[in-house]
Amino acid sequence: MAIRIDGPRLNPLSGQARQLVVILHGYGADGSDLIELGRQWQSLLPDAAFVAPHAPDLLPGAPMGRQWFPLTFRDPHERWRGVNQAAPGLDAFLDAELQRHGLAASKLALVGFSQGAMMALHLGLRRAPAVAGVVALSGLLVLEEGKGPDSLKGQARAKPPVLLVHGDQDDVIPVDALFMSMDALAAAEIPCQWHVSTGVGHGVDPGALAHGGLFLTQAFGLPYPARPR
């Protein structure tokens, strides 16, 4: 059952939106699970509006969970097919949110967790003008099955800075996915930072929050936050 894309929002602390951060949740969750990331980053980004949209499809057999695209974990082509099928609806949502705040396309940053990170990377590298940056937490860059890392080079329409963060104990999407994603980004000459959280599984730890927040300030060209005394 498909639904209209929408989700919880946070208004900028300053009262005037000068940036927009869209946070994309993982498989089986919804936007309410990740809007807390926006609350954690508001002090670093007081002019940013945050929105965490619910994925458009309900998870089969689950009353609340949602998915950006179906996963059976049996079809090797399903992730590539899934990101491409889900992209147009999410792309339209991003355009509508920028229009809502009267912001240029370059004032948008994408943050995603797990399946949401797949969507953030897929769309973030194909939107032109380029987004300000992409943060991928516990996810991976989806490539067409059977194609190597060089395949991204001919598909990327933009080269925004990317931050990859992963736990080294992730048993859902193994940390090797970070390094495979790095290889594809390097082949496409897309700037990439990365951080591996030691002892962390499939989740967002304080280190991921800290690195993500600082990366977003950098991506938006904001002053580096002063250390508290």
Side-chain angles (χ1 to χ4, degrees):
M1 177 182 174
I3 60 173
R4 183 173 67 90
I5 298 179
D6 202 359
R9 294 177 173 81
L10 296 174
N11 293 323
L13 290 181
S14 68
Q16 175 63 48
R18 294 182 174 85
Q19 302 97 26
L20 173 64
V21 180
V22 177
I23 308 171
L24 306 176
H25 65 79
Y27 181 81
D30 65 20
S32 301
D33 289 342
L34 281 195
I35 194 63
E36 179 61 29
L37 296 184
R39 293 191 180 93
Q40 296 293 322
W41 289 330
Q42 277 187 310
S43 61
L44 292 173
L45 303 165
D47 296 325
F50 294 86
V51 59
H54 306 307
D57 296 325
L58 295 174
L59 198 66
M64 300 297 292
R66 295 178 181 175
Q67 59 185 2
W68 294 103
F69 52 88
L71 285 173
T72 66
F73 305 102
R74 296 188 297 270
D75 179 356
H77 301 280
E78 65 187 356
R79 287 189 295 207
W80 176 250
R81 183 171 60 247
V83 291
N84 281 284
Q85 289 178 348
L90 182 54
D91 207 27
F93 173 82
L94 299 178
D95 289 338
E97 288 298 298
L98 287 168
Q99 186 175 18
R100 174 196 292 263
H101 295 288
L103 294 173
S106 60
K107 298 300 182 182
L108 167 67
L110 299 178
V111 177
F113 173 75
S114 194
Q115 192 183 61
M118 300 178 201
M119 293 303 306
L121 286 165
H122 185 79
L123 262 184
L125 303 180
R126 289 165 174 81
R127 280 181 65 90
V131 301
V134 179
V135 178
L137 307 168
S138 301
L140 60 86
L141 176 62
V142 178
L143 299 175
E144 187 173 0
E145 186 66 22
K147 300 289 182 69
D150 290 341
S151 64
L152 176 65
K153 190 169 186 178
Q155 299 169 0
R157 298 182 63 205
K159 297 181 180 181
V162 173
L163 171 66
L164 305 173
V165 182
H166 222 105
D168 68 351
Q169 301 300 308
D170 194 327
D171 59 357
V172 177
I173 301 178
V175 69
D176 288 353
L178 179 148
F179 300 105
M180 290 187 290
S181 300
M182 283 173 51
D183 287 346
L185 292 169
E189 301 179 342
I190 294 169
C192 174
Q193 302 177 35
W194 60 276
H195 171 75
V196 173
S197 296
T198 304
V200 174
H202 195 63
V204 181
D205 72 316
L209 275 173
H211 283 279
L214 292 175
F215 174 85
L216 289 171
T217 64
Q218 181 184 58
F220 285 129
L222 302 177
Y224 197 82
R227 289 180 178 272
R229 295 184 178 181

